[in-house]
Amino acid sequence: MSVKNQFSKYANQYKNHNIIQQIVAKSLIRELKSQPKRVLELGCGSGQVYNHISWKLDFYKAIDFSASMCELHPKGKNIEVKCFDFDTQEFLDEIKDNHYDLVLSSSALQWSKDLSKIIKHLSLITKEINAVLFTSNTFKTIQDITNAKSPILDEVSIKEAFSKYFECEFETIMYKLEFDNKKDLFDYIKKSGVSGANPSLEFKNAKKLYKEYNLNYLEFEVIFVKTISKL
């Protein structure tokens, strides 16, 4: 296990509010040691992960709870895109009789209300999971200033959930996204889709935050999870 710091000055290069999600999706695929034929992806979005896959697949099942994202995801004869919330029984019923060489997930599972339950069910249909999750240390300084609790899972809970069912390798990376000015930085918070930026910020805490936030970057902490074997 290692903790790394990476500095990324991408915010102004691309007027793009999910640049960290894109970086980690690319890293997730780059790190794969094999070219699995049957793949399940949780939280597929508009295809950030799928678009980095360069080898031939037999079957790709892509799941996202957003219908508009599912519409944008690449389609094809060996691709099945389904709209499910992975915290629901409907999702668990959907996958229970399947088998996959690999389950992928990028920037999605941190929202789960019961991650341990999801991993348990995944352990029945695959031997291998590669995932990257944002942790509650994302936007940590903002949370400290506003006394807000992160709505996403912390690193310890994530590790515990995976380690119950798999032997795992974990790597935690803090990305720092630099901005030229405060206005750009605050615009990014509103539009980035990685929470910590809850609606109350816009009213009660916005002024305090604007005054007290002295960093020229935002913090995003992600944990890369690779399962080695089942327990």
Side-chain angles (χ1 to χ4, degrees), residues 49-74:
V49 170
Y50 179 82
N51 289 332
H52 290 297
I53 290 176
S54 56
W55 63 93
K56 196 173 179 309
L57 293 157
D58 291 343
F59 181 60
Y60 196 89
K61 186 167 195 143
I63 304 237
D64 202 281
F65 74 95
S66 161
S68 54
M69 287 293 184
C70 288
E71 275 174 34
L72 293 170
H73 194 280

Side-chain angles (χ1 to χ4, degrees), residues 160-218:
E160 278 176 0
F162 278 93
S163 299
K164 263 187 201 173
Y165 304 99
F166 290 92
E167 178 85 29
C168 301
E169 264 175 24
F170 301 105
E171 182 174 25
T172 306
I173 296 179
M174 176 70 84
Y175 289 96
K176 294 174 179 176
L177 192 55
E178 267 193 340
F179 295 83
D180 289 337
N181 58 64
K182 260 191 178 179
K183 185 187 176 303
D184 287 351
L185 184 144
F186 279 85
D187 279 351
Y188 190 98
I189 296 171
K190 279 185 198 163
K191 294 170 185 164
S192 71
V194 176
S195 208
N198 54 38
S200 64
L201 265 188
E202 291 165 32
F203 308 105
K204 187 170 144 239
N205 290 320
K207 219 171 173 177
K208 176 179 166 66
L209 193 57
Y210 205 84
K211 206 169 113 189
E212 294 182 26
Y213 196 88
N214 296 320
L215 305 175
N216 70 333
Y217 58 84
L218 288 170

